[in-house]
Amino acid sequence: RKEVEQDPGPFNVPEGATVAFNCTYSNSASQSFFWYRQDCRKEPKLLMSVYSSGNEDGRFTAQLNRASQYISLLIRDSKLSDSATYLCVVIFSGGYNKLIFGAGTRLAVHP
Amino acid sequence: DTEVTQTPKHLVMGMTNKKSLKCEQHMGHRAMYWYKQKAKKPPELMFVYSYEKLSINESVPSRFSPECPNSSLLNLHLHALQPEDSALYLCASSRGQGATTYEQYFGPGTRLTVT
């Protein structure tokens, strides 16, 4: 079983749609959680950290369910510029800040 | 400012060449990282420097040699590479590394082609 699993997609959605990505992780000692976005042939950019209480940044909402070892990202009112690959990233406790990446979920927003 | 810079942007090298990749950050971060990313795959960690000392080497072949001259700079020296080493090489930095986790910020990468 992979340490961090994501649905690879692609998710093809119209502008204005709401889309949700899910991610599961295998190590219950996981400590920190992030969503990064990566545009084609560019570097990963930190989108948001994910906290136990859930957190929101504009149109983006991240949730963490430690009991189910599950992280989600909700994007509301999708824009064309949201088209990218979204990487779920986990750091395991004692993992010396080593990022464990999921394979990424591709999002394509169309007009 | 969360900027990490990398040079060169692109590099083409033969299998007998020696070249270096450079990374710089001025955020006062004390941990720096090298990652390798192949097409349609997530980044894979290669090396971690913490307070200018190598703390993690993910069993990377010796043809890749990292160096951290000071807290702002990270180099990756390349020698006798193979075509399968062609990839995007990403540098990242974070405030620290250890029991407390810190967000990592990536540079734009160097796209390396080995011929």
Side-chain angles (χ1 to χ4, degrees):
Chain A
R1 185 183 171 190
K2 288 183 185 171
E3 293 175 294
V4 180
E5 295 207 59
Q6 294 181 252
D7 181 342
F11 285 58
N12 292 301
V13 303
E15 273 186 291
T18 295
V19 61
F21 305 138
N22 302 321
C23 169
T24 57
Y25 57 93
S26 60
N27 189 331
S28 59
S30 296
Q31 181 175 350
S32 300
F33 310 88
F34 308 94
W35 284 102
Y36 280 75
R37 73 169 274 169
Q38 187 169 25
D39 293 280
C40 189
R41 299 178 71 80
K42 300 279 192 183
E43 75 275 23
K45 285 194 190 318
L46 179 65
L47 183 65
M48 55 201 304
S49 303
V50 187
Y51 304 117
S52 296
S53 53
N55 46 305
E56 187 173 313
D57 183 2
R59 297 181 293 109
F60 299 84
T61 300
Q63 299 275 356
L64 167 63
N65 184 323
R66 283 190 185 271
S68 302
Q69 296 180 201
Y70 169 98
I71 307 156
S72 65
L73 178 68
L74 183 78
I75 304 176
R76 288 181 298 279
D77 188 23
S78 299
K79 313 286 184 198
L80 295 175
S81 57
D82 293 334
S83 298
T85 295
Y86 289 82
L87 296 161
C88 174
V89 182
V90 173
I91 294 179
F92 298 149
S93 177
Y96 298 97
N97 223 40
K98 177 179 173 180
L99 301 182
I100 310 295
F101 287 87
T105 298
R106 205 150 53 84
L107 172 66
V109 181
H110 56 82
Chain B
D1 182 11
T2 54
E3 189 177 77
V4 178
T5 59
Q6 289 186 243
T7 55
K9 284 194 168 65
H10 301 274
L11 178 62
V12 179
M13 60 185 289
M15 288 190 283
T16 58
N17 292 157
K18 282 186 184 182
K19 296 285 184 185
S20 297
L21 309 185
K22 295 187 186 306
C23 173
E24 192 166 4
Q25 57 86 15
H26 292 290
M27 297 178 277
H29 287 179
R30 302 314 301 265
M32 296 184 77
Y33 310 77
W34 280 115
Y35 290 84
K36 172 182 177 180
Q37 187 175 24
K38 302 282 273 183
K40 299 191 189 302
K41 298 284 188 186
E44 297 172 21
L45 183 66
M46 299 175 72
F47 301 104
V48 182
Y49 272 82
S50 179
Y51 289 83
E52 298 152 54
K53 287 187 172 21
L54 183 66
S55 63
I56 296 179
N57 175 341
E58 291 282 293
S59 304
V60 179
S62 60
R63 57 186 184 269
F64 296 91
S65 174
E67 180 199 17
C68 189
N70 61 54
S71 59
S72 300
L73 289 174
L74 187 66
N75 298 324
L76 186 63
H77 302 297
L78 314 173
H79 173 53
L81 294 194
Q82 305 296 310
E84 59 266 27
D85 296 322
S86 299
L88 180 67
Y89 287 84
L90 293 159
C91 175
S93 71
S94 66
R95 280 176 55 198
Q97 187 231 1
T100 302
T101 59
Y102 299 98
E103 295 157 344
Q104 290 185 28
Y105 298 92
F106 285 83
T110 293
R111 192 160 297 280
L112 174 68
T113 303
V114 182
T115 59

